[in-house]
Amino acid sequence: MTEITDLAALRRAMAENAERPEGPARNARAEQLLAAAEGLNVPLAVIEALGHQLSVYNYSSEKDKMFVPFARLLRLWDERPGDFDAYETHSLHWVFKWMSAGMLDQPHIPLASIEKWLGEMERRYRLAGYSERAVRGAEFSVAAHIGDLARAERAYAAWLAADRDEMADCHACELYGQGLWQVERGRDAAALTAWRPVLEGEFSCAHEPHSVLAASLVPLLRLGRAEEARAHHLRGLRLVRPMESMRAAYAEHVEFCALSGNEARGLELLAERPAYFTDTGHPRSRLDFLAVVTLLTDRLTELGLGDEPVPGPAGRAWTARDLAAHARTEALALAERFDARNGTSYVGDRTRARMARRPLVDRLPLGVRTPRPAPAAPSAATPPAPAAETSLPALLAEAHRLADTLRPEAVDAWAAVARAAGDGELAPADRALIADHEAMSRGPEGAELFERAAELYAAAGDPGEALAARARGAYFRALRGEPDTALARVTGLSEEVRALYAAEATGVRQTASVLMSRARILMHRARTGAGPARDAEAAVREVPALVEGHGTPDEGDARLVARVAESWGMLAELAGAAGDGAGAAELLRRAVAEYVRAGVPWCAVEYEVQVAALAEEAGDREEAERALRAALEHGGPYVEPAGQVQLHLRIAELTAGRGEVAAAAEHALQATHWADQAGESGTSGAWARQRLGGYLLRQGRCAEAAEVLESALADLRAETHGDGAVVQARWWLGDCLEELGEHRAAAEQRLLAADIARHWPEQRDHATLAHLAADSLGSAGLVAEADRAYARAGELWRALGDTRLLVRSLRARAWLALREDAGTAEAEGLMAEAVEVCEEALEDAADSRALGGLTRELAQTHRQFGDLLAQAGGPGGVHFERAITLFGSLGPAGLHDRTAAELAAAELATELGHPEEAAARARVVLAAYENADETDETVRTRRAEAARLLGTAE
């Protein structure tokens, strides 16, 4: 550790410490620096070290420690104000506000002391000539905290009416406080209006928009703006996660999870911050955190997860129920301390209300992996409470209704009838239906049970339905590997049912059912190569011929309409197998229309998906998207979660393909939700998150995209998803992190992606990623590492024959070399090599397009060479002149670059004491834009700069 021997060294050390992460280590270092400052025998050194210590305490979990250095600073000011320079004088008055808030946050400090402090703050601000705006803001905070709403309203109005001066909080922090008051008064929409400038980036500071994003979550949910809430959660959590001092904001993110059906994510957040349960330096934020922990764990207990393990204070294992009781006790005890100090019940009332909040949405997909916790299975020792009693006649009526309308729930309904009837009397027809539906529920293993159903149908006097049941059994035998036996059986059954139908001893529905089973068996044989397609087609066509020969079935007769629809679907399959895609698509649309007419649109989902596949093969993406959207609409709640994933992903790809990225992101988001529901978080869920991250990045929503992509990468595996998907996710994540200013992390992702891509036969991606990683390493200040990465990229660009990017890598290395001590010679050598490479490529340029691109690149290289030499204190004029000539050769396309080079040369001439040359170059620029478009921003900027240089020269 560097020894502190003077004020300059102390200041460097404090600046370094200020850049360290919030927490005890930074605080401890500040204490060491104060001790070192005291040894310098320089009063200002002690003052600055105390200010630094106070600041790091304020931005940590040890806020209660900041009162001691402040008291000492105030005493020094009162005793020797001349020891304070202008900056420290300003800082001392500035942190008065921190003391006001800090006192409120500590329940052991009496209210009378806080009121006395307010008076002292007002007196000192008045003596210093400051506005009362900050004082009234502090008074408002006190009144709002204790629940004196009338005083709070008066102070709030006075706060906003007072003039803003240098003691006023920054705009972002003021707007945060104003929005909180609107929320407190039940005006969520007004709060969001107040916060808009912060949310949109107009105002920001060290803690904003972090706090505003967190505070906006519940108001947005209450207003039904769930998509914005989701975005604010992903964006805001990324900001507060590394900041130890933002426990209250972190708690609001946990609260959001508890109120939006994301309890599992809430538990993940608790696990990330174990110290938040026990850190006592800031009781007010601890109260917020414990109240939210209670809310979350109560919710889990309500969902039947009270005995599940959850993260909690260190030292013991916790269940949700235990942690709820512990957190409630701790929170209410803290609230009672605040209320005892304040003389009101306001804090306790608000805490109890917060713990009792109800979910605002059942489930809000977030895009990150957050599978919903399933309720625990009931214990064998405590059987579940019986369901509400329903009479057997009511169960029968419902089962008949569901069966007649082909509802998927019919199987469960008949099972319920069987349980309710037990061994009691039921009509043979009803017992037949019970056996029939049970057989269907068992799949191929239920073939024999259809015989029992047939016997019961026969006993009920319905020989046609008995034959239909046996035919269904035959089809199931085919599915389990007995195609010849199945065909023999169904052929005999078909003959029998035709005879019955001819004798009017059975109806068209029963007859169609037998014929459909025969068609299914023949289709199965055709698919497996055990029988010819022509036999299957002939059998299929018998079904609509029978039904339509009987007269077009009514929509109310769902079974007959469904038989016709299934026939068209089978014929479509045969047409597709024969290579007639257009015919297959038309038949599938017919099948869909019939199912919709029958009132069973969920049966059409499979056919809509097939229509979409055929449309994509034919290049009709619009029709494909229409069919997939129809599949979602028709399927409704009957589409299984895994099917929902695939439908949404395919729609997302098609939607993104026509440029509607926001809509694509919404479908990808839904896919992530359904993947979690299907138990496929690590497979299709990871893929969906990868796509969602890309769509968010394309919209510029980098913080959200980064959260989603990091979640995706936790599950993406080359062996499952392909190494291309992994590389693309890391590439996108690197782009996000670079945009967010996290350069070191961006470089890491880009290097990891490059390490995979280096094994690919085509090396362009490898080169690009190496180059991008070098950019990030340079931005992170890792000069040596950046140079190695640029060198690696340059070798790849050279091998790929890409002169343009090779030259750019050499220029980047030149600038890096200049940043190193004694790196001028190396920098000039690299820039000279870039010129040489470009000139050689120009000689070999094969067409005008390549010639123009290389000319521009060479001009840009000379321009940068001139800049580099000027910065290094050398003569760069020759290179500027060469750049100007080359840009000029490009005509109008090179105008802006040429004038930029002229202005750079003029600036250099001014610095070297050659005003005539500078003036001449400035006049050249003004002449170049003499008749240019006044609305062009570049034109206006160039003219203004030229005029400035001309004025300086003259």
Side-chain angles (χ1 to χ4, degrees), residues 532-605:
R534 63 178 180 275
D535 291 350
E537 181 177 355
V540 172
R541 290 190 182 280
E542 286 185 2
V543 178
L546 169 71
V547 174
E548 293 174 353
H550 180 74
T552 304
D554 296 332
E555 293 181 22
D557 196 346
R559 300 189 193 194
L560 280 180
V561 182
R563 297 287 182 231
V564 175
E566 188 177 354
S567 299
W568 301 136
M570 289 177 173
L571 292 172
E573 181 182 345
L574 292 169
D580 182 7
E586 183 55 38
L587 286 163
L588 287 167
R589 292 190 195 96
R590 245 176 118 175
V592 168
E594 291 292 333
Y595 276 130
V596 173
R597 187 168 74 86
V600 288
W602 52 88
C603 296
V605 171

Side-chain angles (χ1 to χ4, degrees), residues 55-411:
S55 178
V56 298
Y57 283 154
N58 184 59
Y59 293 109
S60 78
S61 62
E62 298 179 306
K63 287 178 182 282
D64 55 335
K65 291 185 175 181
M66 67 182 180
F67 299 106
V68 172
F70 180 74
R72 187 175 171 188
L73 273 171
L74 196 59
R75 187 173 64 254
L76 290 172
W77 169 261
D78 288 339
E79 293 173 353
R80 297 174 58 92
D83 290 343
F84 288 70
D85 62 15
Y87 178 81
E88 292 304 326
T89 299
H90 176 274
S91 297
L92 175 69
H93 286 84
W94 180 266
V95 296
F96 267 78
K97 299 177 296 181
W98 293 1
M99 294 303 107
S100 299
M103 290 178 179
L104 274 181
D105 296 339
Q106 305 291 333
H108 69 277
I109 298 179
L111 187 61
S113 298
I114 297 172
E115 295 285 5
K116 181 180 178 182
W117 176 255
L118 274 177
E120 179 68 9
M121 178 181 175
E122 183 172 10
R123 183 183 70 84
R124 289 180 179 264
Y125 271 41
R126 187 169 55 250
L127 287 173
Y130 295 128
S131 161
E132 66 172 12
R133 189 178 182 94
V135 177
R136 297 286 76 82
E139 181 189 4
F140 161 74
S141 298
V142 173
H145 172 67
I146 68 177
D148 187 344
L149 302 185
R151 181 187 179 192
E153 289 284 16
R154 291 193 302 272
Y156 183 83
W159 169 30
L160 299 190
D163 292 335
R164 278 188 57 81
D165 65 355
E166 57 185 304
M167 279 299 116
D169 280 341
C170 75
H171 280 291
C173 287
E174 283 206 334
L175 290 173
Y176 168 63
Q178 291 162 24
L180 284 185
W181 183 238
Q182 299 303 322
V183 172
E184 180 67 19
R185 305 301 285 153
R187 299 186 286 260
D188 288 340
L192 289 162
T193 299
W195 288 331
R196 185 179 297 126
V198 181
L199 295 171
E200 294 179 353
E202 183 180 348
F203 302 121
S204 63
C205 68
H207 277 189
E208 297 299 346
H210 317 40
S211 297
V212 165
L213 286 165
S216 71
L217 296 172
V218 173
L220 284 168
L221 287 179
R222 282 197 293 250
L223 291 170
R225 294 159 62 176
E227 169 63 19
E228 291 175 72
R230 184 196 73 83
H232 287 196
H233 169 64
L234 294 179
R235 179 183 165 202
L237 183 63
R238 190 169 194 85
L239 293 173
V240 303
R241 186 180 269 134
M243 301 182 73
E244 182 197 52
S245 63
M246 300 203 72
R247 176 164 54 183
Y250 195 88
E252 288 172 311
H253 285 278
V254 177
E255 180 179 39
F256 163 79
C257 293
L259 299 178
S260 64
N262 288 287
E263 298 85 5
R265 181 166 174 82
L267 291 178
E268 291 173 1
L269 299 188
L270 295 188
E272 287 182 19
R273 284 293 191 179
Y276 276 174
F277 287 98
T278 52
D279 284 345
T280 58
H282 191 239
R284 195 170 177 184
S285 68
R286 183 165 183 257
L287 171 58
D288 290 330
F289 185 74
L290 291 170
V292 165
V293 170
T294 305
L295 171 68
L296 174 63
T297 47
D298 274 350
R299 176 64 180 152
L300 291 167
T301 303
E302 183 182 327
L303 290 172
L305 297 160
D307 295 324
E308 291 296 302
V310 296
R316 59 164 285 188
W318 295 92
T319 66
R321 184 177 291 104
D322 293 340
L323 184 58
H326 168 80
R328 175 177 287 101
T329 300
E330 292 282 305
L332 292 177
L334 260 177
E336 186 176 346
R337 288 177 59 199
F338 277 107
D339 284 342
R341 187 271 303 274
N342 299 339
T344 69
S345 64
Y346 193 66
V347 173
D349 292 343
R350 294 181 73 245
T351 300
R352 282 182 285 273
R354 188 174 196 179
M355 293 190 295
R357 281 178 173 166
R358 303 299 303 154
L360 294 167
V361 293
D362 176 61
R363 175 76 160 120
L364 176 60
L366 301 178
V368 292
R369 184 177 183 176
T370 51
R372 191 166 196 169
S379 168
T382 56
E389 298 220 4
T390 305
S391 68
L392 182 57
L395 288 173
L396 272 169
E398 178 66 1
H400 277 290
R401 183 187 71 80
L402 294 172
D404 290 342
T405 54
L406 299 181
R407 297 274 170 177
E409 304 97 327
V411 170

Side-chain angles (χ1 to χ4, degrees), residues 744-778:
R744 187 186 291 260
E748 180 183 359
Q749 292 301 324
R750 288 167 166 177
L751 289 170
L752 287 170
D755 194 52
I756 298 172
R758 70 188 176 91
H759 300 292
W760 294 354
E762 212 292 313
Q763 287 289 286
R764 181 160 292 276
D765 285 339
H766 180 200
T768 303
L769 285 162
H771 200 125
L772 290 171
D775 291 344
S776 297
L777 289 165

